[in-house]
């Protein structure tokens, strides 16, 4: 596969790319094909997916995937493998709800509207080179950097079309005399998706009496280092030293700044606590949440950052969705925008009993978190406010929904922001909350009489992805139908477990026996991917022999859609666990969306996992995602060896260690007789 290995971020994105996202990408940009000249791991995987597309494309240019960027030659476009992964990642996250809106013409309209506004703010727009993007979006209205007159402009937006070297050379040459904002089309696409997704949910929610506001931070971006308005990129680089990523671990050397920023709240413990951002986990397409965290100053529970001064049994809720600013950039719970807004509501509207719920995430975009709209419970009269503090203006009311304008009232005699004016201290966030209150105030006058709570439900057409999975599932079900239980029996409960069984142990047997007692039919999927020590044919045969007395248990291969190199490659890297190979969201979502729905499975059984990091994260991801598909996750406590003084948990890894150390007598306490006989016959001289 070559010697190049994708890094953690790219591998994580690569694992989610499917046939449909590649197909939509080609159609969107108007290519007629993709040709892969690079031979690295990324290119080989993408080429495999591309070859599964069964469609003819009518575009005018080919996309060439090459190790090094090359200029557009008039007939082809060029892109590096890693950049293609980043581009495709956007198309993976596009919700079906807005798919019909995702056309190059609509995108072009958005870009032109955004550019026109930015020009009114004094920005000059340049493209880095001619190519497909320039022809589709610029139409010769915008200049190339080769003809730039930087002395005439102090604010520049440079659209990076892939020629990184040229872009960086331009930036380095002029960063001391101008403010240069480098943007890829990828970033413009994500900003557009914010607008499209929010427009969709605004329409849906308004029909149920719920208001949605899409907010901007335009004043802040034009007063970047308040109160100095005219800054250069070199000024910004200097200010970046105050990013929490640079301060964390080096707090003592930034003591003057931190004391001024936090004022009376300052202490080293405080700073370390509020900069300890809880891990963010990807639970499937459109679903990113933070882990729970309990500490003195920063608390997250059930994906919601705790807001102070909330009321019991509120009549209505104001939900905050967005990025790090709404989450609370390096600030404690009581001083987030959400908490200031809560206190403002309590003071100005005491009779209405309104609560603020903060579901913002540190990082991520709305296309990566839009499933939150389906997870929230609404009442008529509720409000949703969405804020991603990007430079590109979004929404219908660019001026009216600018949540940052009150920052002009901040005191100018001290620092009240970190590396940018949107990353505020409590003074700044208080001013933002005042402005947010005034923006949503008209909706607070709503007197909805029907207070019945509801959740949004996705229409069936949006639940099904038109990918290779449907075809693979059809073939898979046909191959195992003889070994399945009677399907679709009324009032029967169908359960399942997915097991590698490397090899089959008494622990596996205990889990199966416990699960079988809770359902009418139990389907055991044995991992078919042959990346384990014991061959698949031997593993599945041991499971069958070890469960022959359980009449309602059906043992079948897992196929390509469960714990495979395609759906969960990290499972087979458990000897080197990391956040990267623990990402099982694709595997779990495929199981819920395709496997469970096809076989009527409503319960999935897993063993409690106290030691294996990858499996433990797999269980956590299942508990988060599968209930969306009507599948209940049941965790069964692990069986321990009765003869072992330490009462070791019975696991396949322990069995392998005992086998390697030739502790054959001890093996009898960990595996059924059928497995023991197999091991003795095949692995003992």
């Amino acid at each position: 596969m070559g010697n190049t290995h994708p890094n953690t971020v790219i591998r994580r994105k690569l694992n989610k790319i499917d046939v449909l996202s590649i197909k939509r990408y080609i159609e969107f940009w108007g290519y007629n094909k993709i040709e892969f000249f690079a031979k690295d791991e990324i290119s080989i995987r993408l080429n495999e997916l591309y070859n599964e597309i069964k469609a003819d494309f009518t575009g005018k240019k080919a996309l060439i995937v090459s190790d090094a960027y090359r200029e557009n030659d008039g007939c082809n476009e060029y892109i590096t493998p890693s950049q293609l992964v980043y581009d495709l990642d956007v198309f993976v996250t596009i919700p079906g709800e807005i798919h019909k809106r995702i056309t190059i013409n609509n995108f072009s309209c958005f870009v032109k509207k955004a550019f026109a506004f930015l020009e009114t703010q004094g920005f000059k727009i340049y493209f880095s080179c001619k190519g497909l993007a320039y022809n589709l979006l610029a139409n010769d209205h915008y200049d190339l950097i080769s003809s730039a007159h930087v002395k005439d402009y102090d604010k520049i937006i440079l659209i990076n079309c892939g020629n990184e070297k040229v872009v960086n050379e331009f930036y380095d040459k002029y960063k001391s005399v101008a403010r240069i904002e480098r943007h890829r089309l990828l970033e413009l696409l994500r900003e557009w998706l914010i607008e499209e997704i929010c427009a969709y949910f605004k329409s849906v929610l308004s029909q149920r009496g719920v208001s949605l506001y899409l907010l901007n931070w335009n004043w802040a971006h034009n007063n970047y280092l308040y109160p100095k308005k005219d800054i250069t990129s070199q000024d910004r680089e200097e200010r970046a030293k105050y990013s929490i990523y640079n301060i964390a671990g080096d707090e003592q050397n930034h003591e003057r700044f931190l004391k001024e920023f936090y004022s009376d709240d300052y202490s080293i413990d405080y700073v370390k606590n509020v900069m300890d951002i809880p891990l963010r986990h990807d639970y499937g397409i459109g679903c990113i949440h933070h882990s729970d965290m309990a500490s003195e100053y920063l608390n997250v529970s059930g994906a919601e950052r705790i807001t102070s001064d909330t009321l019991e049994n509120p009549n209505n809720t104001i939900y905050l969705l967005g990025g790090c600013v709404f989450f609370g950039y390096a600030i404690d719970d009581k001083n987030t925008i959400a908490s200031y807004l809560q206190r403002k509501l309590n003071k100005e509207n005491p009779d209405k009993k309104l609560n603020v719920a903060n579901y913002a995430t540190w990082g991520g975009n709305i296309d990566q978190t839009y499933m939150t709209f389906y997870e929230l419970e609404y009442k008529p009269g509720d409000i949703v406010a969405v804020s991603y503090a990007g430079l590109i203006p979004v929404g219908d009311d660019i001026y009216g929904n600018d949540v940052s304008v009150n920052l002009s009232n901040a005191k100018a005699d001290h620092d009240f922001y970190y590396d940018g004016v949107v990353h505020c201290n409590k003074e700044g966030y208080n001013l933002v909350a005042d402005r947010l209150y005034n923006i949503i105030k008209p909706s607070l006058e709503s007197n909805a009489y029907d207070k019945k709570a509801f959740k949004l439900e996705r229409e069936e057409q949006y639940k099904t992805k038109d990918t290779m999975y449907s075809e693979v599932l059809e073939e898979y079900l046909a191959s195992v139908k003889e070994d399945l239980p009677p399907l679709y029996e009324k009032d029967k409960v169908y359960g399942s477990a997915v097991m590698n069984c490397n090899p089959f142990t008494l622990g596996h047997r205990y889990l199966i026996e416990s699960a079988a007692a809770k359902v009418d039919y139990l389907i055991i999927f044995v991992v078919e991917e042959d990346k384990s020590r014991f061959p698949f044919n031997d593993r599945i045969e041991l499971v069958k022999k070890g469960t022959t007395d359980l009449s309602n248990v059906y043992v079948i291969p897992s196929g390509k859609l469960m714990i495979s190199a395609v759906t969960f490659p990290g499972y087979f890297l458990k000897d080197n666990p990391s956040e990267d190979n623990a990402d099982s969201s694709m595997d779990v979502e495929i199981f819920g969306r395709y496997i469970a729905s096809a076989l009527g499975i409503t319960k999935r059984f897993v063993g409690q996992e106290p030691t294996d990091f990858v499996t433990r994260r797999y269980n956590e991801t299942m508990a988060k995602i599968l209930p969306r598909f009507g599948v209940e996750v049941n965790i069964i406590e692990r069986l321990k060896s009765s003869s072992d003084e330490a009462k070791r948990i019975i696991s396949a890894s322990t069995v392998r260690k005992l086998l390697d150390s030739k502790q054959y007598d001890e093996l009898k306490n960990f595996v059924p007789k059928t497995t023991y006989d197999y091991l003795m016959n095949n692995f003992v001289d």
Side-chain angles (χ1 to χ4, degrees):
M1 248 193 197
N3 296 320
T4 305
H5 299 285
N7 66 30
T8 295
V9 175
I10 292 177
R11 184 185 289 116
R12 201 173 287 174
K13 294 179 184 297
L14 181 64
N15 288 344
K16 294 186 179 300
I17 293 170
D18 58 14
V19 171
L20 179 61
S21 56
I22 296 176
K23 180 174 180 287
R24 287 179 174 172
Y25 176 82
I26 295 171
E27 292 172 339
F28 181 84
W29 288 113
Y31 297 119
N32 56 36
K33 62 180 177 180
I34 300 180
E35 293 187 20
F36 293 86
F37 286 90
K39 301 299 181 183
D40 59 293
E41 182 179 340
I42 299 171
S43 300
I44 291 172
R45 175 62 189 141
L46 291 177
N47 196 13
E48 289 173 350
L49 291 172
Y50 172 71
N51 288 332
E52 294 183 25
I53 298 176
K54 299 176 181 178
D56 294 323
F57 299 105
T58 58
K60 296 181 179 179
K61 293 185 178 182
L63 180 66
I64 308 299
V65 182
S66 177
D67 290 323
Y69 173 82
R70 291 165 56 188
E71 288 278 355
N72 167 51
D73 60 14
C75 298
N76 304 309
E77 290 270 324
Y78 293 86
I79 195 169
T80 59
S82 58
Q83 187 56 49
L84 180 56
V85 170
Y86 277 94
D87 287 2
L88 288 170
D89 181 55
V90 179
F91 286 80
V92 169
T93 62
I94 294 174
E97 289 85 336
I98 64 168
H99 174 58
K100 290 183 179 179
R101 291 277 306 161
I102 306 304
T103 67
I104 190 63
N105 289 335
N106 288 341
F107 178 52
S108 180
C109 289
F110 166 79
V111 171
K112 290 171 183 175
K113 179 192 75 170
F115 284 178
F117 172 81
L118 291 167
E119 285 178 321
T120 68
Q121 306 299 300
F123 283 96
K124 173 67 176 177
I125 314 295
Y126 288 112
F127 279 71
S128 65
C129 67
K130 282 194 173 183
L132 185 62
Y134 179 83
N135 294 333
L136 290 170
L137 301 176
N139 293 325
D140 295 324
H141 179 73
Y142 302 106
D143 296 328
L144 301 176
I145 57 174
S146 57
S147 60
H149 299 284
V150 177
K151 61 182 175 56
D152 298 328
Y153 305 98
D154 57 13
K155 293 196 295 186
I156 292 171
I157 292 179
L158 176 53
I159 306 302
N160 182 346
C161 297
N163 48 342
E164 200 80 31
K165 182 179 179 182
V166 173
V167 170
N168 291 337
E169 287 175 351
F170 179 89
Y171 176 86
D172 290 337
K173 184 176 181 180
Y174 296 111
K175 68 180 182 180
S176 64
V177 297
R179 173 186 170 188
I180 303 171
E181 300 282 353
R182 292 170 289 184
H183 283 274
R184 289 185 177 274
L185 289 172
L186 171 69
E187 295 170 271
L188 297 179
L189 274 167
R190 288 213 184 279
E191 296 290 341
W192 176 46
L193 290 176
I194 290 174
E195 187 169 283
E196 291 293 338
I197 291 172
C198 287
Y200 170 81
F201 283 105
K202 181 175 182 177
S203 174
V204 172
L205 288 169
S206 66
Q207 298 173 31
R208 308 287 295 272
V210 176
S211 303
L212 186 149
Y213 292 86
L214 179 54
L215 306 170
N216 282 287
W217 292 73
N218 296 308
W219 185 92
H221 284 296
N222 282 285
N223 296 269
Y224 201 91
L225 298 181
Y226 181 80
K228 182 180 178 182
K229 182 175 181 179
D230 298 323
I231 64 164
T232 67
S233 289
Q234 193 158 291
D235 291 331
R236 289 187 60 188
E237 287 184 5
E238 174 65 19
R239 189 68 193 187
K241 69 183 180 183
Y242 293 122
S243 162
I244 69 167
Y245 300 108
N246 292 325
I247 292 177
D250 192 27
E251 294 85 1
Q252 295 286 1
N253 288 329
H254 294 86
E255 188 172 22
R256 183 209 63 79
F257 166 76
L258 294 170
K259 281 183 175 179
E260 186 175 47
F261 185 85
Y262 289 113
S263 188
D264 295 339
D265 293 327
Y266 172 78
S267 73
I268 289 293
D269 287 342
Y270 175 94
V271 173
K272 288 182 176 180
N273 194 169
V274 298
M275 291 196 300
D276 184 17
I277 309 303
L279 289 174
R280 198 189 70 182
H281 298 307
D282 187 341
Y283 293 103
I285 305 302
C287 185
I288 291 175
H289 292 314
H290 286 288
S291 298
D292 286 356
M293 173 177 278
S295 66
E296 185 175 357
Y297 300 110
L298 199 162
N299 295 272
V300 176
S301 178
E304 177 184 356
R305 180 162 188 187
I306 300 305
T307 300
S308 67
D309 301 287
T310 53
L311 308 174
E312 292 186 9
N313 303 314
N315 292 327
N316 281 109
T317 303
I318 292 90
Y319 294 105
L320 302 190
L321 277 63
C324 58
V325 181
F326 261 15
F327 177 84
Y329 187 96
I331 204 76
D332 60 291
D333 294 336
K334 73 177 185 297
N335 288 314
T336 62
I337 294 171
S339 292
Y340 277 114
L341 179 60
Q342 181 68 58
R343 291 191 285 273
K344 182 85 171 178
L345 291 166
N346 294 348
K347 179 181 177 181
E348 301 293 337
N349 301 269
D351 297 332
K352 287 187 175 292
K353 293 192 69 176
L354 304 169
N355 268 2
V356 180
N358 185 355
Y359 281 89
T361 58
W362 184 282
N365 293 278
I366 196 68
D367 57 303
Q368 297 170 308
T369 58
Y370 68 87
M371 285 302 298
T372 304
F373 283 106
Y374 292 106
E375 295 172 345
L376 299 178
E377 187 171 80
Y378 308 92
K379 291 179 181 178
D382 285 353
I383 297 170
V384 180
V386 181
S387 164
Y388 288 90
L391 171 66
I392 306 302
V394 292
D396 297 328
D397 191 352
I398 292 175
Y399 293 101
N401 285 352
D402 187 341
V403 78
S404 67
V405 293
N406 280 17
L407 292 173
S408 61
N409 299 323
K411 296 177 183 178
D413 61 352
H414 68 287
D415 279 319
F416 70 96
Y417 56 89
Y418 260 93
D419 52 330
V421 74
V422 295
H423 296 154
C424 299
N425 68 358
K426 61 184 180 182
E427 177 188 350
Y429 284 152
N430 191 12
L431 291 168
V432 172
D434 283 345
R435 173 62 179 168
L436 176 55
Y437 175 81
N438 289 329
I439 291 174
I440 67 173
K441 190 174 180 180
S443 295
L444 297 177
E445 304 304 318
S446 170
N447 290 308
Y449 295 103
D450 178 14
K451 291 293 187 179
K452 185 177 180 181
F454 68 92
K455 282 190 172 185
L456 296 179
E457 292 187 10
R458 301 187 83 185
E459 296 180 23
E460 193 60 36
Q461 61 178 316
Y462 302 141
K463 292 182 180 179
T464 305
K465 288 184 72 178
D466 178 24
T467 65
M468 63 175 180
Y469 304 132
S470 296
E471 294 180 5
V472 174
L473 176 64
E474 197 172 309
E475 294 175 4
Y476 169 69
L477 292 178
S479 70
V480 298
K481 66 179 182 180
E482 299 299 326
D483 297 315
L484 289 171
L487 298 181
Y488 314 117
E489 286 193 356
K490 188 177 180 181
D491 299 326
K492 297 294 185 182
V493 179
Y494 293 77
S496 65
V498 182
M499 298 178 167
N500 195 29
C501 299
N502 185 36
F504 185 65
T505 70
L506 289 174
H508 294 120
R509 163 70 195 203
Y510 176 75
L511 190 151
I512 293 173
E513 190 173 345
S514 300
K518 299 176 184 290
V519 296
D520 296 292
Y521 298 112
L522 180 67
I523 303 173
I524 303 299
F525 300 97
V526 180
V527 174
E528 193 167 354
E529 192 79 52
D530 250 331
K531 292 182 178 293
S532 301
R533 176 168 177 177
F534 300 98
F536 164 69
N537 288 334
D538 292 355
R539 287 187 284 110
I540 193 170
E541 189 61 27
L542 289 175
V543 179
K544 289 179 177 179
K545 288 181 177 179
T547 58
T548 53
D549 59 314
L550 302 175
S551 61
N552 65 334
V553 172
Y554 297 79
V555 181
I556 61 175
S558 66
K560 298 178 181 179
L561 297 183
M562 286 170 275
I563 308 186
S564 69
V566 172
T567 67
F568 189 7
Y571 182 85
F572 304 100
L573 302 173
K574 292 199 293 180
D575 290 339
N576 184 28
S578 69
E579 283 290 325
D580 174 31
N581 57 42
D583 183 2
S584 58
S585 56
M586 174 187 278
D587 183 272
V588 176
E589 182 152 334
I590 290 172
F591 180 87
R593 190 182 300 277
Y594 296 97
I595 305 299
S597 60
L599 300 179
I601 294 170
T602 58
K603 293 181 183 293
R604 180 156 170 181
F605 296 92
V606 299
Q608 184 185 41
E609 186 47 68
T611 57
D612 187 321
F613 169 71
V614 174
T615 302
R616 185 168 67 252
R617 278 291 308 280
Y618 188 31
N619 290 353
E620 292 170 357
T621 303
M622 279 189 275
K624 182 75 177 178
I625 293 178
L626 289 183
R628 287 199 233 128
F629 301 98
V631 180
E632 175 189 315
V633 177
N634 286 255
I635 299 178
I636 295 176
E637 188 173 349
R638 286 291 195 101
L639 183 66
K640 295 182 179 180
S641 170
S642 59
S643 66
D644 194 301
E645 291 184 3
K647 300 292 183 185
R648 279 182 291 179
I649 289 174
I650 296 178
S651 67
S653 60
T654 302
V655 169
R656 295 193 297 272
K657 290 176 183 177
L658 291 173
L659 182 64
D660 291 340
S661 60
K662 299 183 179 181
Q663 299 181 58
Y664 303 134
D665 288 339
E666 184 66 13
L667 271 176
K668 294 178 181 179
N669 299 310
F670 285 78
V671 297
K673 186 177 185 305
T674 48
T675 301
Y676 181 79
D677 291 343
Y678 162 80
L679 295 174
M680 294 301 101
N681 291 333
N682 291 277
F683 296 93
V684 177
D685 296 331

